[in-house]
Amino acid sequence: MSARRWFGGRLVVVGMASAVALTLTGCGDGDGKDSEKDEVASVQGDKAGAQNDKGATSELATYVEGQRKWVQCLRDKGLDAPDPDAKGSVKLGDASKLKKDPKFLAAMEKCSDLSLAVPAGVEKAQQGKLSKKEIETRKKYSKCMQDKGAPDFPDTNDDGHTEEVTWDQSSAGAKRAARECGSIIGVPADGTYTPQG
């Protein structure tokens, strides 16, 4: 869910809570106790929401800082690595070329202890919204993979993202399925595809 949609939804909830509190104050017995209770409940709800925001922000900040340390290590090993973006993503270049570059591979190995997995909350926030056609294509690909030899291939959910499961990409069935189903997503017969959340 985007921050804008979440924040907009939060304003609606806070606005509704305020309207209810005003109505109860107008209809109360005059001692103000009902409105005080509503205000306390509203403040407690606001605090819980703020704590969730801080947790997500803290997780992202920690991840970005870790990515900066990893990039600095890569630079110390002679790579021209760019700074991570605001979401911690680092674009190193063409993966097919980098896999053949001994300098790159050596730097990656030496800095591997600083390389962080993307936290689940950050990964979820980075996922973009897919069109109906993209969702349909991903679902079709998941079903094809499962039917053609990779039964443990992750399902695609209603928003077009795959479930977080581990599947055996190296099995003969998975390789056969990838060859037979690749054309659905535009992957050549000799290529492979890793589900992207």
Side-chain angles (χ1 to χ4, degrees):
M1 180 184 299
S2 73
R4 172 180 261 173
R5 279 194 297 172
W6 184 88
F7 187 72
R10 184 114 171 102
L11 282 178
V12 171
V13 171
V14 170
M16 288 172 57
S18 298
V20 169
L22 287 173
T23 303
L24 290 175
T25 301
C27 297
D29 60 5
D31 64 3
K33 289 181 182 174
D34 288 339
S35 71
E36 287 174 17
K37 289 178 188 174
D38 289 337
E39 287 175 16
V40 169
S42 177
V43 169
Q44 288 173 343
D46 289 345
K47 284 181 182 176
Q51 287 173 348
N52 288 341
D53 285 348
K54 286 179 185 175
T57 302
S58 174
E59 183 179 49
L60 177 59
T62 300
Y63 176 63
V64 171
E65 184 57 34
Q67 289 292 84
R68 285 191 182 118
K69 290 177 182 173
W70 177 63
V71 164
Q72 187 56 54
C73 178
L74 294 176
R75 290 174 180 163
D76 293 344
K77 303 301 178 209
L79 292 184
D80 183 22
D83 288 330
D85 66 16
K87 293 180 180 176
S89 179
V90 179
K91 304 210 183 324
L92 295 171
D94 184 354
S96 62
K97 290 180 183 175
L98 293 173
K99 283 193 248 181
K100 299 173 188 172
D101 181 352
K103 184 178 177 182
F104 173 79
L105 296 173
M108 290 296 283
E109 186 177 337
K110 289 183 180 179
C111 298
S112 64
D113 60 328
L114 294 173
S115 180
L116 302 173
V118 181
V122 174
E123 186 174 10
K124 191 169 185 179
Q126 291 175 347
Q127 295 175 346
K129 186 168 179 168
L130 301 172
S131 70
K132 286 183 181 179
K133 184 177 180 181
E134 289 170 321
I135 293 170
E136 184 181 307
T137 299
R138 287 184 175 202
K139 285 186 173 187
K140 185 176 177 183
Y141 181 74
S142 290
K143 175 135 180 45
C144 180
M145 288 292 289
Q146 293 165 355
D147 292 347
K148 299 290 183 175
D152 57 343
F153 189 86
D155 288 322
T156 299
N157 59 30
D158 290 338
D159 62 4
H161 299 292
T162 54
E163 297 174 356
E164 294 179 24
V165 298
T166 303
W167 66 287
D168 184 4
Q169 300 177 42
S170 62
S171 72
K175 290 177 182 178
R176 182 178 63 253
R179 285 192 301 274
E180 292 184 35
C181 303
S183 62
I184 294 171
I185 55 168
V187 175
D190 62 346
T192 57
Y193 168 76
T194 301
Q196 302 296 313

